[in-house]
């Protein structure tokens, strides 16, 4: 085990395969695969740096590169990180939260990571100004709107149940999770408390792990956020989120910047979920009817509770 800790972050076969798959996906993308916007960008000898002829085989090479790594993963070397609830079902909240708070010793989803990273400043810029953070790393409304609803539909779908105006009148509970960060009582399964903007209610699990919004409970502070103008965390200076929402992905709910208490986390560069999605993307361009497309997308969605 000591040797494994020492070697963590050093190049491995998996890292090489992962980097190759990412680069080949870039090469197959519209930027480098028949892009007329950069016709005049050439080497001194006249060779185009942005190939002008579309080649579907580039997508096939990218798909094959991803498949090579997935073959390694399926031998037990890598797998998606999953936490399960006491009832045996996948806990999407803790799976997504703890994925970024673990190391490769316990998290086999990590393929390529940097062991030593400045996670203290990472946390501070994403933590509310009134809670000891800098508070300026915001999440835009466009990003907030990209998250699905609890039923898996986008907020633009009339069947999604999305409501933008008004406030919740009672707490909202989710099944199959031990998530308990919605109120001071730390009630498991309670995800949204009352008096929260309806636009933040009944969203997919990743939303609550990734986005910090107004009047949301902070377990480490024992109070709700105050992002309104003049509030403890709101606009009194440039160190406040302009849209009233902050990013909280890859942060521990127990971090306390005011007391310089931070949970260790590694800097994940490539993880298995990326390879799942890259493989599906590449196949969709060269073999759109391939059964693996939905298979690997759905494995990621299932883990996320979508």
């Amino acid at each position: 085990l000591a040797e494994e800790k020492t070697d963590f972050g050093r190049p491995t076969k998996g890292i090489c395969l992962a980097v190759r798959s990412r680069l080949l996906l870039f090469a197959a993308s519209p930027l480098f695969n028949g892009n007329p916007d950069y016709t005049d960008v050439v080497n001194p000898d006249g060779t185009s740096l942005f190939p002008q002829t579309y080649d579907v085989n580039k997508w096939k090479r990218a798909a094959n590169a991803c498949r090579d790594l997935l073959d390694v993963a399926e031998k037990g070397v890598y797998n998606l990180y999953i936490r399960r609830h006491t009832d045996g079902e996948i806990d999407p909240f803790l799976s997504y939260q703890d994925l970024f708070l673990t190391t490769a010793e316990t998290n086999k989803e990590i393929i390529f990571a940097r062991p030593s990273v400045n996670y203290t400043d990472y946390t501070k810029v994403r933590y509310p100004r009134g809670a000891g953070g800098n508070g300026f790393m915001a999440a835009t409304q466009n990003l907030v709107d990209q998250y699905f609803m609890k039923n898996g539909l986008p907020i633009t779908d009339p069947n999604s149940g999305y409501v933008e105006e008004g406030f919740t009148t009672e707490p909202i509970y989710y099944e199959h999770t031990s998530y308990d960060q919605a109120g001071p009582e730390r009630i498991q399964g309670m995800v949204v408390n009352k008096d929260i903007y309806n636009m933040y209610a009944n969203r997919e699990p990743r939303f609550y792990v990734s986005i910090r919004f107004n009047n949301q409970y902070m377990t480490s502070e024992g109070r709700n956020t105050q992002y309104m103008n003049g509030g403890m965390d709101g606009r009194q200076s440039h160190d406040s989120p302009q849209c009233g929402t902050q990013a909280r992905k890859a942060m521990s709910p127990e971090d306390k910047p005011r007391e310089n208490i931070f949970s260790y986390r590694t800097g994940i560069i490539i993880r298995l979920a990326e390879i799942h999605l890259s493989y599906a993307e590449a196949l969709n361009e060269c073999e759109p009817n391939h059964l693996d497309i939905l298979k690997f997308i759905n494995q990621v969605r299932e883990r996320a509770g979508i």
Side-chain angles (χ1 to χ4, degrees):
L1 183 60
E3 183 178 353
E4 291 177 358
K5 287 183 178 180
T6 302
D7 289 340
F8 176 59
R10 298 180 186 274
T12 63
K13 177 180 179 179
I15 289 175
C16 295
L17 292 173
V19 172
R20 183 181 70 164
S21 68
R22 180 183 282 186
L23 292 176
L24 288 175
L25 194 71
F26 285 157
S29 72
L31 181 63
F32 294 103
N33 197 359
N35 183 357
D37 295 337
Y38 296 94
T39 302
D40 298 330
V41 182
V42 297
N43 274 332
D45 64 1
T47 303
S48 176
L49 295 178
F50 293 81
Q52 299 299 296
T53 302
Y54 175 78
D55 184 0
V56 69
N57 288 317
K58 290 185 176 182
W59 289 110
K60 293 180 179 179
R61 289 186 65 197
N64 289 338
C66 293
R67 183 69 256 186
D68 287 344
L69 180 50
L70 291 171
D71 288 342
V72 173
E74 289 175 353
K75 294 177 181 178
V77 179
Y78 305 109
N79 52 54
L80 294 179
Y81 180 82
I82 291 176
R83 289 281 306 274
R84 294 190 180 275
H85 187 46
T86 53
D87 61 8
E89 296 292 329
I90 293 175
D91 188 326
F93 289 85
L94 298 192
S95 293
Y96 193 65
Q97 172 185 279
D98 296 352
L99 161 65
F100 303 100
L101 305 177
T102 52
T103 69
E105 297 170 62
T106 56
N107 182 358
K108 296 176 72 174
E109 182 166 339
I110 298 175
I111 299 174
F112 187 12
R114 181 182 172 90
S116 178
V117 292
N118 187 359
Y119 55 85
T120 57
D121 283 351
Y122 176 93
T123 299
K124 287 179 180 178
V125 299
R126 290 160 174 78
Y127 222 75
R129 180 176 53 78
N134 298 329
F136 60 80
M137 182 61 74
T140 65
Q141 188 64 42
N142 285 343
L143 176 62
V144 169
D145 291 345
Q146 293 305 306
Y147 285 94
F148 298 115
M149 295 295 288
K150 181 181 179 181
N151 58 15
L153 296 175
I155 66 171
T156 53
D157 191 306
N159 296 315
S160 68
Y162 177 70
V163 178
E164 190 159 294
E165 298 182 355
F167 301 84
T168 58
T169 57
E170 58 185 19
I172 298 175
Y173 299 85
Y174 284 47
E175 297 179 337
H176 312 304
T177 182
S178 297
Y179 182 90
D180 62 355
Q181 299 167 37
E185 304 88 354
R186 303 294 295 268
I187 300 174
Q188 290 192 3
M190 189 173 85
V191 176
V192 177
N193 213 332
K194 62 180 181 178
D195 300 322
I196 299 296
Y197 284 126
N198 280 326
M199 70 170 67
Y200 306 139
N202 297 308
R203 304 298 287 268
E204 60 158 302
R206 294 181 305 173
F207 173 81
Y208 299 102
V209 177
S210 300
I211 302 295
R212 197 185 302 276
F213 48 83
N214 187 56
N215 212 28
Q216 184 184 39
Y217 187 70
M218 290 186 291
T219 57
S220 60
E221 286 290 298
R223 67 169 177 86
N224 293 355
T225 57
Q226 298 180 20
Y227 287 133
M228 71 289 290
N229 188 17
M232 291 180 65
D233 312 307
R235 186 168 184 174
Q236 294 175 342
S237 72
H238 62 280
D239 287 335
S240 59
Q242 302 301 302
C243 295
T245 48
Q246 286 188 286
R248 62 180 295 204
K249 179 179 178 179
M251 291 173 56
S252 169
E254 308 302 332
D255 285 347
K256 297 181 180 180
R258 195 192 310 279
E259 302 175 30
N260 284 319
I261 297 176
F262 302 96
S263 302
Y264 169 79
R265 71 218 63 171
T266 187
I268 300 176
I269 300 171
I270 302 178
R271 56 190 174 95
L272 186 60
E274 174 186 332
I275 308 303
H276 276 56
L277 300 179
S278 295
Y279 180 50
E281 179 182 356
L283 279 180
N284 189 58
E285 296 294 333
C286 62
E287 296 183 63
N289 296 319
H290 201 296
L291 296 179
D292 275 356
I293 296 174
L294 284 179
K295 172 185 174 182
F296 284 92
I297 287 179
N298 284 337
Q299 286 179 7
V300 175
R301 287 173 65 91
E302 180 185 29
R303 190 267 300 275
I306 304 174

PDB file of all heavy atoms in Angstrom, residues 249-261:
ATOM      1  N   LYS A 249     -19.396  22.158  -6.310  1.00  0.00           N
ATOM      2  CA  LYS A 249     -18.925  20.847  -6.749  1.00  0.00           C
ATOM      3  C   LYS A 249     -17.508  20.607  -6.245  1.00  0.00           C
ATOM      4  O   LYS A 249     -16.683  21.527  -6.202  1.00  0.00           O
ATOM      5  CB  LYS A 249     -18.955  20.792  -8.271  1.00  0.00           C
ATOM      6  CG  LYS A 249     -18.478  19.485  -8.887  1.00  0.00           C
ATOM      7  CD  LYS A 249     -18.579  19.568 -10.395  1.00  0.00           C
ATOM      8  CE  LYS A 249     -18.062  18.313 -11.060  1.00  0.00           C
ATOM      9  NZ  LYS A 249     -18.179  18.392 -12.540  1.00  0.00           N
ATOM     10  N   ALA A 250     -17.222  19.377  -5.858  1.00  0.00           N
ATOM     11  CA  ALA A 250     -15.900  18.974  -5.363  1.00  0.00           C
ATOM     12  C   ALA A 250     -15.529  19.689  -4.067  1.00  0.00           C
ATOM     13  O   ALA A 250     -14.356  19.923  -3.792  1.00  0.00           O
ATOM     14  CB  ALA A 250     -14.825  19.206  -6.419  1.00  0.00           C
ATOM     15  N   MET A 251     -16.542  20.029  -3.275  1.00  0.00           N
ATOM     16  CA  MET A 251     -16.296  20.639  -1.971  1.00  0.00           C
ATOM     17  C   MET A 251     -16.928  19.780  -0.891  1.00  0.00           C
ATOM     18  O   MET A 251     -17.990  19.191  -1.089  1.00  0.00           O
ATOM     19  CB  MET A 251     -16.883  22.052  -1.928  1.00  0.00           C
ATOM     20  CG  MET A 251     -16.166  23.042  -2.818  1.00  0.00           C
ATOM     21  SD  MET A 251     -17.018  24.638  -2.896  1.00  0.00           S
ATOM     22  CE  MET A 251     -17.111  25.074  -1.153  1.00  0.00           C
ATOM     23  N   SER A 252     -16.273  19.709   0.261  1.00  0.00           N
ATOM     24  CA  SER A 252     -16.820  18.968   1.381  1.00  0.00           C
ATOM     25  C   SER A 252     -17.777  19.859   2.171  1.00  0.00           C
ATOM     26  O   SER A 252     -17.457  21.014   2.459  1.00  0.00           O
ATOM     27  CB  SER A 252     -15.699  18.491   2.308  1.00  0.00           C
ATOM     28  OG  SER A 252     -16.247  17.984   3.523  1.00  0.00           O
ATOM     29  N   PRO A 253     -18.949  19.345   2.542  1.00  0.00           N
ATOM     30  CA  PRO A 253     -19.882  20.151   3.342  1.00  0.00           C
ATOM     31  C   PRO A 253     -19.347  20.459   4.737  1.00  0.00           C
ATOM     32  O   PRO A 253     -19.892  21.310   5.438  1.00  0.00           O
ATOM     33  CB  PRO A 253     -21.135  19.272   3.407  1.00  0.00           C
ATOM     34  CG  PRO A 253     -20.648  17.890   3.171  1.00  0.00           C
ATOM     35  CD  PRO A 253     -19.499  18.017   2.220  1.00  0.00           C
ATOM     36  N   GLU A 254     -18.283  19.767   5.119  1.00  0.00           N
ATOM     37  CA  GLU A 254     -17.718  19.980   6.452  1.00  0.00           C
ATOM     38  C   GLU A 254     -16.553  20.972   6.458  1.00  0.00           C
ATOM     39  O   GLU A 254     -15.996  21.277   7.508  1.00  0.00           O
ATOM     40  CB  GLU A 254     -17.245  18.641   7.034  1.00  0.00           C
ATOM     41  CG  GLU A 254     -18.301  17.536   7.014  1.00  0.00           C
ATOM     42  CD  GLU A 254     -19.567  17.888   7.773  1.00  0.00           C
ATOM     43  OE1 GLU A 254     -19.485  18.697   8.730  1.00  0.00           O
ATOM     44  OE2 GLU A 254     -20.644  17.364   7.413  1.00  0.00           O
ATOM     45  N   ASP A 255     -16.168  21.482   5.287  1.00  0.00           N
ATOM     46  CA  ASP A 255     -15.086  22.466   5.235  1.00  0.00           C
ATOM     47  C   ASP A 255     -15.476  23.740   5.980  1.00  0.00           C
ATOM     48  O   ASP A 255     -16.634  24.177   5.918  1.00  0.00           O
ATOM     49  CB  ASP A 255     -14.747  22.818   3.786  1.00  0.00           C
ATOM     50  CG  ASP A 255     -13.957  21.722   3.092  1.00  0.00           C
ATOM     51  OD1 ASP A 255     -13.477  20.817   3.797  1.00  0.00           O
ATOM     52  OD2 ASP A 255     -13.823  21.780   1.860  1.00  0.00           O
ATOM     53  N   LYS A 256     -14.485  24.333   6.674  1.00  0.00           N
ATOM     54  CA  LYS A 256     -14.725  25.570   7.421  1.00  0.00           C
ATOM     55  C   LYS A 256     -13.588  26.553   7.142  1.00  0.00           C
ATOM     56  O   LYS A 256     -12.602  26.603   7.881  1.00  0.00           O
ATOM     57  CB  LYS A 256     -14.823  25.281   8.918  1.00  0.00           C
ATOM     58  CG  LYS A 256     -15.982  24.370   9.310  1.00  0.00           C
ATOM     59  CD  LYS A 256     -16.032  24.145  10.815  1.00  0.00           C
ATOM     60  CE  LYS A 256     -17.203  23.240  11.199  1.00  0.00           C
ATOM     61  NZ  LYS A 256     -17.265  23.024  12.670  1.00  0.00           N
ATOM     62  N   PRO A 257     -13.694  27.321   6.061  1.00  0.00           N
ATOM     63  CA  PRO A 257     -12.626  28.263   5.711  1.00  0.00           C
ATOM     64  C   PRO A 257     -12.293  29.241   6.827  1.00  0.00           C
ATOM     65  O   PRO A 257     -11.132  29.619   7.001  1.00  0.00           O
ATOM     66  CB  PRO A 257     -13.203  29.001   4.492  1.00  0.00           C
ATOM     67  CG  PRO A 257     -14.157  28.033   3.888  1.00  0.00           C
ATOM     68  CD  PRO A 257     -14.762  27.310   5.045  1.00  0.00           C
ATOM     69  N   ARG A 258     -13.288  29.645   7.587  1.00  0.00           N
ATOM     70  CA  ARG A 258     -13.041  30.601   8.668  1.00  0.00           C
ATOM     71  C   ARG A 258     -12.066  30.043   9.695  1.00  0.00           C
ATOM     72  O   ARG A 258     -11.295  30.772  10.318  1.00  0.00           O
ATOM     73  CB  ARG A 258     -14.369  30.949   9.343  1.00  0.00           C
ATOM     74  CG  ARG A 258     -14.303  32.187  10.237  1.00  0.00           C
ATOM     75  CD  ARG A 258     -15.552  32.298  11.097  1.00  0.00           C
ATOM     76  NE  ARG A 258     -16.776  32.182  10.331  1.00  0.00           N
ATOM     77  CZ  ARG A 258     -17.314  33.181   9.648  1.00  0.00           C
ATOM     78  NH1 ARG A 258     -16.710  34.355   9.623  1.00  0.00           N
ATOM     79  NH2 ARG A 258     -18.440  33.004   8.985  1.00  0.00           N
ATOM     80  N   GLU A 259     -12.083  28.708   9.864  1.00  0.00           N
ATOM     81  CA  GLU A 259     -11.206  28.046  10.828  1.00  0.00           C
ATOM     82  C   GLU A 259     -10.060  27.314  10.145  1.00  0.00           C
ATOM     83  O   GLU A 259      -9.319  26.569  10.796  1.00  0.00           O
ATOM     84  CB  GLU A 259     -12.022  27.057  11.669  1.00  0.00           C
ATOM     85  CG  GLU A 259     -13.176  27.695  12.429  1.00  0.00           C
ATOM     86  CD  GLU A 259     -14.025  26.673  13.150  1.00  0.00           C
ATOM     87  OE1 GLU A 259     -13.470  25.626  13.545  1.00  0.00           O
ATOM     88  OE2 GLU A 259     -15.233  26.908  13.320  1.00  0.00           O
ATOM     89  N   ASN A 260      -9.905  27.519   8.847  1.00  0.00           N
ATOM     90  CA  ASN A 260      -8.867  26.846   8.056  1.00  0.00           C
ATOM     91  C   ASN A 260      -8.950  25.327   8.176  1.00  0.00           C
ATOM     92  O   ASN A 260      -7.935  24.634   8.273  1.00  0.00           O
ATOM     93  CB  ASN A 260      -7.465  27.331   8.463  1.00  0.00           C
ATOM     94  CG  ASN A 260      -7.167  28.704   7.920  1.00  0.00           C
ATOM     95  OD1 ASN A 260      -7.487  29.017   6.772  1.00  0.00           O
ATOM     96  ND2 ASN A 260      -6.562  29.551   8.744  1.00  0.00           N
ATOM     97  N   ILE A 261     -10.173  24.814   8.161  1.00  0.00           N
ATOM     98  CA  ILE A 261     -10.406  23.371   8.177  1.00  0.00           C
ATOM     99  C   ILE A 261     -10.863  22.952   6.777  1.00  0.00           C
ATOM    100  O   ILE A 261     -11.917  23.386   6.300  1.00  0.00           O
ATOM    101  CB  ILE A 261     -11.474  22.986   9.218  1.00  0.00           C
ATOM    102  CG1 ILE A 261     -10.981  23.345  10.622  1.00  0.00           C
ATOM    103  CG2 ILE A 261     -11.801  21.502   9.122  1.00  0.00           C
ATOM    104  CD1 ILE A 261     -12.017  23.081  11.711  1.00  0.00           C
TER     105      ILE A 261
END
